[in-house]
Amino acid sequence: MAANVIIELKGVERHYVQGSRKLTILNGVDFSLKRGEMVALVAPSGAGKSTLLHTAGLLERPDAGDVILSGRACGRLSDDERTAIRRNDIGFVYQFHHLLPEFSALENIMMPQLVKGLPKAEASARAAQLLDYMQIGKRGHHRPSELSGGEQQRVAIARAVANAPLVLMADEPTGNLDPVTAGYVFDALSALVKQSGLAALIATHNHELAARMDRRVTLSDGKVIPF
Ligand SMILES: Nc1ncnc2c1ncn2[C@@H]1O[C@H](COP(=O)(O)OP(=O)(O)OP(=O)(O)O)[C@@H](O)[C@H]1O
């Protein structure tokens, strides 16, 4: 594996069967992400962006090929092993924040750390630090419904990176925000990626934000190619 490559997809295929039809969504994807690299995935609706993010993020298994994370082939690992890798090494952010409504921002960010087995005090300190980093340190005790859309998305990003993953998969993370707020959330995300050395694959329809990332790729005939 080339130096600094964190995740690599090799010959990845993904097919869905719909009735008697076989839909080929990923058809031999070769793609990799390096440490600290932020890559925009720009493709039309239905091209397979979510399928790519879910397969790379070990939520779906490839039908052929493999996903190699930090040198470890993950395609044929057991479900339990894949879940453990997801919990520790992969963060997800979606268009809608999916925060737990009955918990505060701080508690939402503590949750994945507690699931991983970290002591409460440590989880709380890290959550507070991430909130500060996302510039919403004063909002820690607010519940999601008491936060603006941009603040909610910052909390969701902080939660996704709470366990210091190697890779972040983001599916339209600013898709639900107005352009100015989207820009601010992107700035915070971008600073976090650079500071932590994460590798991030970010599906977006926002060409302005895509232009600010390190690289842009698209899906064409089930393959990842430069955009
Ligand atoms: N579980 C499934 N079973 C059958 N078909 C599926 C399944 N999941 C996705 N598809 C199909 O695969 C194609 C790609 O879907 P995907 O959600 O990856 O696209 P996308 O590029 O993320 O689209 P969007 O931008 O609209 O979210 C679509 O035609 C979709 O209908």
Side-chain angles (χ1 to χ4, degrees):
M1 214 146 105
N4 280 333
V5 167
I6 288 188
I7 187 167
E8 189 171 11
L9 277 68
K10 276 190 171 171
V12 166
E13 292 181 22
R14 191 78 184 97
H15 314 281
Y16 296 117
V17 176
Q18 266 187 349
S20 58
R21 266 179 9 116
K22 183 172 137 183
L23 286 176
T24 294
I25 309 301
L26 305 180
N27 193 18
V29 167
D30 293 314
F31 173 68
S32 63
L33 283 174
K34 289 184 188 152
R35 202 180 142 74
E37 190 178 40
M38 216 175 176
V39 176
L41 173 60
V42 185
S45 182
K49 298 183 294 297
S50 301
T51 303
L52 178 67
L53 291 167
H54 291 166
T55 309
L58 311 188
L59 282 167
E60 291 186 32
R61 277 181 200 273
D63 295 304
D66 214 336
V67 177
I68 298 144
L69 187 67
S70 242
R72 188 178 186 196
C74 299
R76 271 160 282 281
L77 296 177
S78 70
D79 286 345
D80 284 353
E81 287 170 310
R82 288 165 61 89
T83 300
I85 295 174
R86 262 201 323 273
R87 191 175 292 154
N88 293 320
D89 296 333
I90 302 171
F92 293 92
V93 181
Y94 297 96
Q95 181 173 0
F96 299 100
H97 56 77
H98 299 299
L99 295 169
L100 298 170
E102 67 275 30
F103 292 96
S104 70
L106 193 86
E107 289 165 338
N108 266 280
I109 304 168
M110 287 171 68
M111 212 64 79
Q113 303 179 74
L114 298 179
V115 170
K116 192 181 169 182
L118 253 73
K120 219 169 162 181
E122 210 175 301
S124 169
R126 166 122 177 114
Q129 193 186 29
L130 281 166
L131 281 169
D132 274 343
Y133 200 83
M134 298 303 282
Q135 298 182 346
I136 44 168
K138 292 199 172 75
R139 296 281 185 274
H141 297 290
H142 292 243
R143 290 186 182 192
S145 61
E146 299 163 344
L147 300 172
S148 71
E151 288 167 343
Q152 290 169 350
Q153 246 354 33
R154 285 166 200 247
V155 177
I157 292 168
R159 180 185 54 179
V161 300
N163 283 337
L166 299 170
V167 186
L168 183 72
M169 300 289 164
D171 203 346
E172 293 280 350
T174 61
N176 198 29
L177 306 174
D178 66 76
V180 174
T181 308
Y184 286 135
V185 171
F186 179 80
D187 289 342
L189 173 59
S190 173
L192 189 74
V193 170
K194 296 299 166 197
Q195 180 261 351
S196 62
L198 261 173
L201 180 59
I202 300 172
T204 182
H205 288 294
N206 185 327
H207 288 250
E208 219 169 283
L209 297 186
R212 292 171 53 194
M213 299 195 211
D214 299 312
R215 272 194 294 143
R216 285 142 293 283
V217 296
T218 189
L219 275 159
S220 174
D221 293 330
K223 292 191 168 51
V224 172
I225 57 166
F227 181 70

